[in-house]
Amino acid sequence: MAAITSASATEPPGLETQRREIETIVQNHELRAGDSWYLVERRWFEQWKEYVKTGDQNSSSFPGQIDNTELFEDLDSYHLKERLVENEDFVLIPAEAWRNLLAWYGLVDDQPALERKVVDLPSTVKVEVYPVEVFLCLHSNMDNVVTAQFSRVDTIQTIEKMMRKQFDVGESAETRLWMKSSDTSCERLRNIYVSVLDSCLSSGMTVIMEMRNADGTWPSSRPQIMRNSVEEQDSYRGQPGVCGLTNLGNTCFMNSALQCLSNTPQLTEYFLRNAYLEELNFTNPLGMKGEIAEAYADVIKQMWTGRHYSVVPRVFKTKVGHFASQFLGYQQHDSQELLSFLLDGLHEDLNRVKNKEYIELRDADGRPDQEVAEEAWRNHRRRNDSVIVDTFHGLFKSTLVCPECHKVSVTFDPFCYLSVPLPVSKERVMEVFFVSLDPGAKPVQHRVVVPKAGKVIDLCIALSQVTDVPANQMVVADVFNHRFYKIYHSDESLSCILDRDDIFVYELSSGAVEDDGEEVVLAVYLRERPHYRDYGSGSSYGTSLFGHPLLMAVPREQCTRDALYYLFLQRLARYVHTPDPSDEVEEEEADDEGGEDEEEEELYKTQTNGLGNDKRDDDCEKAGPSKQAGEGEECTTKMTPSVGQADGQNNGQSEPSSEDAASDPERGSSSEEGQSAGSSSADTATQSDVATTEASGKAEDQDEEDEEQGEEEERRDGDSTAIAGASSGKRLTGSGRNGQGRKRRRPLFTIQAVNSNGTTERGMGEGGSAFSFSSQPYVAIDWDPDMKKKYYDDNEAEKYVKHASMEVPHQQTTVQLQECIELFTTVETLEEENPWYCPVCKKHQLATKKLDLWSLPEVLIIHLKRFSYTKYSREKLDTIVEFPLRELDFSGYLLRKPGANGEPPSRYDLMAVSNHYGGLRDGHYTSYARNKDNGQWYYFDDSKVTYAREDQIVTNAAYVLFYQRQDKIRKPTLPAPADGCAASVKPANDFTSSNHDGLAAATSCVNMETD
């Protein structure tokens, strides 16, 4: 080019020779993309043609040096004038003609040669007179701007190389380019191999180059970092890869999957050495335009700089939601589903095959397995070739046999992970509280074994075998928040009952189950009402539930307030003290007090709901014995309020189904490990609707009541008689105000008809002495605070007894991983929803299917199918799967034997585990992973990272296992850290026990993750 642009001229040939050579070159030279053509000022060129035409070298028309002055706006920048027109302002000549003219005549000093490229545009091939002129600068120094011109067919990589050279940016520095079209609009130039034209880069725009920071972030979008201060974060230096991921809101599933992939050496090193940049596939219609791969690379690079305690994967989460709408928002998801999407997305974004060819699959048709397998793998690699295929893809053999014609179909299919089933037990262990008819007997906690697909009656039958109480005299109920959340029918499925529910089984008298209907089953709640003088204060003026509800069978003729009063008193005799005659409370019937009594009654009647516009429920109530307390201990059950309904008595509200109950993440999921609740429930009880009516003064015959209660009550005749005597003079409701004298005995409690919530509705049971019930009747025993404090024993009411079955350690089901793999390879019959079309029978058949492993990948992902979904039930299997940390041998399961013909070995070592704690609808994901550099195991719980011991890794929470083939394992490059040497982690026993079986790990995780 130096020779071409030289102003010195050589001795030219004859004028005729000049004319003939230039005309021949111009006429015979076609426009070809990529060729160079030159602009020459038209007047100079016309004068040259006139000169050579005369044939006289001494002619006055001699043009002199090539002069393009008229084409420039000024001679300082030599910027081409706008809107120049070909053949009016300039002519275009091929490079060869330009070189000849330059050699013969030279160029005016300091003028640049106006070289232009021929470009192949979508509609035409033309010389690009006006190239794209853009401004170039670094993100770190936006003031240093350089102007440069590029052809529309130049690639973005050409601009990048020029900028590296212009701004002295080293080849090893990782950069990315941005295209800025205005003061506020910037767009990433992701594909550096695309042309300037296709990238929509036009003149006047600015191209900005930014370089990745040392901590893995980009200057333009440095994410939020978990840190106490900028200085602390910037100065932090830790083990690369030992970095938490912030929970953005129910994103623990994503964090768990990312941590497992982050500790997969082959994949992480591929991204850390920037090999992905050369393989990004921006044109794959099945991919995500390289955006998922780039977002994943950003997360990995930040995690492996060793400069962060925790990284916020917000950009990655946004990209995942953009391309997979099921992950939009912040609902809970499955880590394995996210893993499946991510591996598929990375594969398509990094697929080396740009144009996938159509390949018709062939059946084996009796050919040898080796031949069919090699053909299948070859065909797979012709369409799928990426680091994901290299690392994670294997091949299994699928054999289908028609049950009618016995046609055998053999295919070989690739897989990215193995989803292995767990052996499913047909039985279930349930823990329940049995409440006897004997008022003096404490509730007994039992552990019984029932059919997993059984009915409620099966639970009663199992309990009947250990209590000798007929199963038909039992009623099963779910107690929540001091009320009955649900009273079950005997034919309901046990799958409606969750393991965390507090289930009480009540013994009823034989008369309650007879067909004559002489007895009615009452649901009895305990309520405490504040003193009437508090009503006017506006604070806590509603009744509050406390204690455990009861189910009692009562003769219909005794459904009066007086009769019920004594029946309830006898039923509560274990923890309700009867007053001595000398201590009995008397009430004065003075006229001035009558006003207050009437006022109090009016308040009860007018405050129908007891709450006004306030909320119905406070935030936490204690409700009864838990499943972990010993005799005499106070126990915690459900800790959150619920408007529980039962059997239609719901005050106009629909009854929640069992699925609704299961979907409530807080219901029954106590985060407290203590064994104390209920003894002081009045302080934190739920506010409820209130209206009360004092008990009637009509006393029932005590002997008749004793006969109804049976022989067990006879020993309390003395006390009951005393109460009868004490109560015989109490004030009557309605008619009793004026006929009982000056002194009256005050009752311990009053009785009120309520709905299933334990609240009173206007007009419900007001006035009269008898109750009339429809469907399931509910009544409440209302206590005055002073009377409750004096005669009700909270501690005694909370006591219960553990049956011997509770003392036997619960043996959790344990299976070997090899058993799961054997189940995966066993013969099964296809389901009716998924038949196979037999090419011989010409119809769909329920064929038998068998899967066998043919070849295994470098990294084997094993998904334990813990979530079981059938037509009849859904459950999570908490079976402990014993999986080896080392030497997992697949040689017995592979059809293609390792070691033969150079086949790789089949032994694997564990490198990561994704854990799931919790149930079907809620839970928390964590992960264990082995750092590739120092060989140390770590426990990743969102942003928290701790050391882990090998004996902690095998738990019933293990969900997805990552194994690495032994021939691909590298020895750690760093020594294992000494205990406590790293500031970013703590010993594992700081956060959980070694077995994770207790509620401590699971519950704390649930609290962290759910709502």
Side-chain angles (χ1 to χ4, degrees), residues 489-537:
H489 297 290
S490 60
D491 59 349
E492 289 192 71
S493 173
L494 286 175
S495 63
C496 299
I497 302 177
L498 304 181
D499 289 337
R500 68 189 184 190
D501 292 341
D502 288 308
I503 302 301
F504 284 71
V505 181
Y506 296 87
E507 178 187 0
L508 301 179
S509 60
S510 58
V513 297
E514 295 175 356
D515 296 334
D516 57 11
E518 290 301 318
E519 290 190 351
V520 60
V521 178
L522 286 182
V524 183
Y525 293 155
L526 299 177
R527 300 195 304 183
E528 180 181 5
R529 66 169 187 261
H531 198 278
Y532 71 90
R533 64 173 174 268
D534 293 335
Y535 277 43
S537 65

Side-chain angles (χ1 to χ4, degrees), residues 265 269 930 932-933 964 966-973:
E269 290 171 1
R930 181 177 179 269
K932 68 181 182 66
D933 292 336
Q964 186 176 18
Q966 287 184 344
D967 65 318
K968 296 296 181 180
I969 297 177
R970 299 182 316 169
K971 292 184 178 180
T973 57

Side-chain angles (χ1 to χ4, degrees), residues 29 85 137 167 305 343 395 499 620 761 815 843 867 895 974:
H29 219 86
V85 179
C137 66
F167 298 113
T305 59
L343 289 175
L395 201 66
D499 289 337
C620 279
E761 301 175 24
V815 300
K843 62 180 180 180
F867 298 100
L895 294 182
L974 300 173

